[in-house]
Structure formats: C-alpha cells, structure tokens
Amino acid sequence: MGIKAALPRYELYLYTAVLGGALIWASSWIFEASSDNVNRKAFKESVKPGWHYFGRKMDVADFEWMMWFSTFRNHILFALAGHVIFAKIFTLVAPKIGIDGCKHRSLIFGVYGGLAVLITMGWTFMALVLSHCIILYSVALVKRKWMCFVAGLTTLASIKLEPYNSWQESLVTGSFDLQDILFYGGCGFSIIRGMSFALENCEKKDGNYKFSDLLKYNFYLPFFFFGPIMTFDLFHAQANNTQLTRKEREMWNITTKALLHLGVILVVDVFFHYLYILTIPSDMKLVTKLSDWCLAGLAYSNLVYDWVKAAVMFGVINTVSTLDHLDPPQPPKCITMLYVFAETHFDRGINDWLCKYVYDYIGGDHDKIFKELLATFCTFAITTLWLGPCELVYIWSFFNCFGLNFELWVAKFFSLPPFSTIEGAMGEAMSRRIRGVFNAANFWAIILYNVLSLNSLEFAKMVGRRLIFKGFPLSTLSVLFVTYCGVQLVKERERQQALLEEPEPAKPAEGDKEKAE
C-alpha cells in the first residue's frame, strides 16, 4: 500500500497522547532510579560533581562526549577555528600575490591539515599515514577494484588486529590523553579515504588522479581524525569548484545550525544531571531491581542519546566544512524515525561509503534474496573489521545482518497470495495499521540489536528477557502498543513529506481546455 494512506485525525491525537504519556512515565522511573542511587559505590567513577547551581551530580560515563564538549573542547575548537581563519586569510592574501585562491583552496586545506597533524601527532605518525597513502595510491594505478579492496582491507586490518596494531602504535612517540583516539581515528579514516580514492580512480576513464589529489583529500583537517567520510568523487568535485557562491540565506542557516548545536549540548549536559542513562546500565545489580518500563526507557534513551551525540559532533564538523563550500554527509536519521533495518545507521558517511562501494554494488536493486544475502554479508564483514573484531562486534554484526535480510524475506513472503490478495481487498488505512504492528516489533529488534554495542550484552539480554518473557503479557503488549503509536506518528510525518514533495499536476493549456469543452 502507498505511503500516502491517511488515518483519522482523532486517531493520531490519541497516538500522540499515548506516546507522550509513556515517555514521561518511563522518564520518571529513570529519574527515580538516578536520584535514589546517586551515591552507590558502582556510580563513583562515572557520576561526578556537575554544575554547582544544579546541586546534583552529573553522569560523565561517555568519554567521547566529555572529550568533545568538556575536557578537550578548547583544543578542538582551536584547531577548527584555525582551519577557518587560515583559509580566510589565504583567500584575502592570494589575489594580492597573483594566486587564484578559489583554484588552489583544496591545496591550502591540505597544507593546513598536514601541518596540524604533524604538530599534534609527530613525524612518525605522519610517516605512517603517508605510507598507507602510498600503498593505496600504488594499487590504484593498476585499476583493479579487487586489488584495491585487498590492499585497503589488509591495511585496515593492520591497525585493528594484534600484534600489528600495537607495533604501529608504538612507532608514535609522545604520550597524551587523546593519543590513542587520534591514532586509530586518523589511521582508520585515512585508509577508508584511500580506498575511496583508489576505487574512484578505477572508474576514471582517461588517466589517473594525482598523488597530490589523494593528499589534499586525506589531510582535510575537519574530517581527518573523526570523520565523517566524504567519498573522493564528491570531495574532489566540490573542493576544486571555482564558482564559489552562497545560496540565499545560507550564512543565516549555518549560524542557526551552530546555535542549535550549542543549545543541544547545553540540554544534554542538563539532562545528564537528572537522568543517569549511561551509568545505570553498567550496574547489573541495580538493573535487575528496576521496573520493565525503566528498562525499556533506558534502552530507548541510550540509542536516542547516541544519535544526538553523532548528530552534534558531525554537525559541528559539518558547519566548518559548509563554510568551506562543501556539502558534507548529513547527520544520521534519528532512531525514533527508524522502523526498518535498511535505514539504520549511526554514521551517514560510513553508511554512504559502504552503500556505494559494497552494498548497492553487489545487491543491485536489493530485490533478489541471494544477492541481498551476499551484499549484507560483505557489508557487515567490512563493518566488523572497521569497528574492530571482537565477540560483541561479531554478535552485533550477525543480528543486524540477519535483521536486514529477514525484512526482505518477510516482504517476499507476504507479497505472495493469499496475503497480497487480502491486503489488496482491505482499505489503505487498515493496511497501514497492520504494517504498523510489524514495524513496532521491528523497532524493538533494532533497539535490542544495537543497544548491546552501546552498553553491554548482559544489559541487552536483560531488557529482552524482561520485555519479551518475564513481562508478558502486560509489559510486552503495553510497550508494543506505545511503540506502535510512535511508528504511526512517524508514518504520518513521512506521508506529509511525500505530499509536499509530490509535484503539482500540470494545468491544461488553454487550447486543450477549449477542445475538451
């Protein structure tokens, strides 16, 4: 049935009220658990004194968030601000010394990025990254995609698997708090970018791209350590575009987004003073005593928080790259809007990279069961290597790969008679309601399959056991109904967007109108 099937307005009002009430109810349970257990011994390391005028402690369990917006905030802002200022100074000085600033701006970005990486990490790290670039560039000249994949994945494995990763890390001298993160982030993203360059070079019909093109692409500082990944073809075209113009109100939109990100950062910090959603799941003794609604709220809020974190971190970087006249990958789709595995991702850059070079390349139109199985297997095999092979990642990859394929199997099964005949005979609104029930179950499969990678396998098993088995039927059906309400609201938003994007029917010409009369 089409996406434009409408539901009665009063029904949507009911769904909104149920969903809002359930979120407030679950939040109250989490707030109570946070307040009552703030002084637990297990919370000592991850719940620290927060803003003194709140009079409450703060959940600081997420090192990545603290790194970006607290501990190393000034260092990151200094590096990104330096990039913007350096580029602006160059654009002002370049015409006076006879250089076309627009034509050479990608070179300037690369030079600043290379110097920043050299100063931050040292010459041994720079030599290591350059060696990766040389390997991938050399293979790219052969113009064989399978060789590019072999070389790229082998190089990636060398920084993800023992003992090769420890040996390479030992080459980097110095010791500071961010060294491990910058090392693995810088090397990992460099290799992925190098693979994109090599694969795009295979597609180039006449000649080859230059090694300098790879360096300019790789050492663009805003993307270097933390991503997002922008495929080489897009970056090369945009960074070398000499017709630099701003769209109407573009600077206003950039400023608005920057202020929005600042507002979200403050809201999340306030949120962490009252709801310890990251610390509570780590204390399994406490988790066993919590209500089913509290566990459901914790699982859901952890995934929402992970999306917010990705959206804000990539949003800050994207703001800088937009100032450079680039169109970077957008933040991931909110977990609340997801009810199918095909749209589930937390890093749109990596997702776009995998779709372009692996998933869509092998899977085609994703309508054939065997091709889809092969495409998803290859995609999650590379994802497993990217995340770092371990038991938890293996489990996460297996279940998400299974979920993606299971969706296709179910769709194929229900497209056969008599199911297709029955659906065709019923109204579109009823079809949407029935599909919503399956989507609600799928939504919780997505949450359970992904929360294990954010918290722990034990926590995911506890949530699944309580909501599916011990909580049946009351907790199971009530949580499923609330999720169903949320799914229908998401479907309504998609319906309205589809109506807005639908082109208006062309008006008949006057001559045709007269003939009709």
Side-chain angles (χ1 to χ4, degrees), residues 157-343:
S158 71
I159 67 163
K160 297 292 183 179
L161 301 176
E162 291 286 358
Y164 314 105
N165 57 343
S166 297
W167 174 76
Q168 291 185 79
E169 188 179 6
S170 67
L171 298 175
V172 180
T173 56
S175 179
F176 54 97
D177 291 340
L178 279 181
Q179 180 170 303
D180 287 349
I181 293 176
L182 297 183
F183 173 84
Y184 287 108
C187 286
F189 281 113
S190 291
I191 293 167
I192 293 294
R193 283 189 290 265
M195 289 179 67
S196 177
F197 172 88
L199 293 167
E200 293 298 333
N201 192 67
C202 294
E203 297 290 336
K204 188 174 174 61
K205 302 299 181 183
D206 49 336
N208 299 287
Y209 290 109
K210 299 176 183 177
F211 185 62
S212 59
D213 292 329
L214 173 57
L215 295 181
K216 288 184 286 188
Y217 168 53
N218 189 47
F219 286 100
Y220 179 68
L221 185 63
F223 296 164
F224 185 81
F225 287 112
F226 304 109
I229 289 292
M230 190 175 182
T231 55
F232 174 76
D233 57 327
L234 296 177
F235 180 88
H236 185 71
Q238 295 175 23
N240 291 288
N241 178 24
T242 56
Q243 304 299 321
L244 302 180
T245 57
R246 293 286 183 194
K247 298 177 183 177
E248 186 179 354
R249 295 176 62 83
E250 183 175 355
M251 286 305 300
W252 169 260
N253 291 334
I254 292 174
T255 305
T256 303
K257 287 182 179 179
L259 293 175
L260 177 62
H261 294 144
L262 179 60
V264 172
I265 292 168
L266 294 175
V267 169
V268 171
D269 268 12
V270 173
F271 180 86
F272 279 157
H273 285 77
Y274 294 94
L275 304 175
Y276 302 154
I277 61 170
L278 304 179
T279 296
I280 291 175
S282 63
D283 185 357
M284 292 306 297
K285 288 184 179 179
L286 173 60
V287 168
T288 56
K289 302 175 183 177
L290 300 178
S291 69
D292 295 345
W293 277 99
C294 188
L295 288 180
L298 283 170
Y300 170 73
S301 59
N302 267 266
L303 263 74
V304 171
Y305 163 70
D306 196 65
W307 168 78
V308 170
K309 180 175 69 173
V312 172
M313 290 194 299
F314 289 143
V316 171
I317 294 172
N318 288 355
T319 299
V320 176
S321 58
T322 305
L323 291 172
D324 293 333
H325 296 273
L326 297 180
D327 184 17
Q330 296 303 304
K333 192 173 182 179
C334 179
I335 185 65
T336 304
M337 301 295 174
L338 298 175
Y339 52 82
V340 291
F341 279 90
E343 296 182 1

Side-chain angles (χ1 to χ4, degrees), residues 63-133:
F63 169 79
E64 198 171 21
W65 181 270
M66 292 298 115
M67 173 193 75
W68 265 83
F69 304 115
S70 180
T71 316
F72 296 97
R73 175 187 57 213
N74 295 336
H75 299 78
I76 294 171
L77 287 176
F78 178 78
L80 294 178
H83 169 88
V84 175
I85 295 170
F86 188 81
K88 187 62 178 179
I89 292 175
F90 175 77
T91 56
L92 295 175
V93 174
K96 298 179 181 180
I97 58 177
I99 297 177
D100 187 347
C102 295
K103 186 177 180 180
H104 297 285
R105 65 194 184 98
S106 61
L107 174 63
I108 297 305
F109 294 154
V111 169
Y112 176 82
L115 290 174
V117 172
L118 179 63
I119 293 171
T120 304
M121 299 296 291
W123 70 269
T124 50
F125 176 81
M126 177 65 81
L128 182 63
V129 172
L130 287 175
S131 69
H132 294 159
C133 291

Side-chain angles (χ1 to χ4, degrees), residues 421-479:
T421 307
I422 295 172
E423 185 177 24
M426 68 176 62
E428 289 192 348
M430 183 55 66
S431 172
R432 171 175 159 177
R433 295 185 184 100
I434 294 173
R435 286 173 177 263
V437 174
F438 288 97
N439 293 146
N442 208 41
F443 180 88
W444 272 100
I446 292 173
I447 288 183
L448 292 176
Y449 292 173
N450 287 278
V451 78
L452 62 89
S453 65
L454 299 179
N455 298 114
S456 67
L457 180 59
E458 290 74 19
F459 178 70
K461 288 164 63 177
M462 173 65 71
V463 174
R465 192 182 307 117
R466 291 279 291 275
L467 293 184
I468 299 173
F469 300 108
K470 289 187 176 181
F472 186 85
L474 184 60
S475 297
T476 306
L477 297 180
S478 58
V479 169

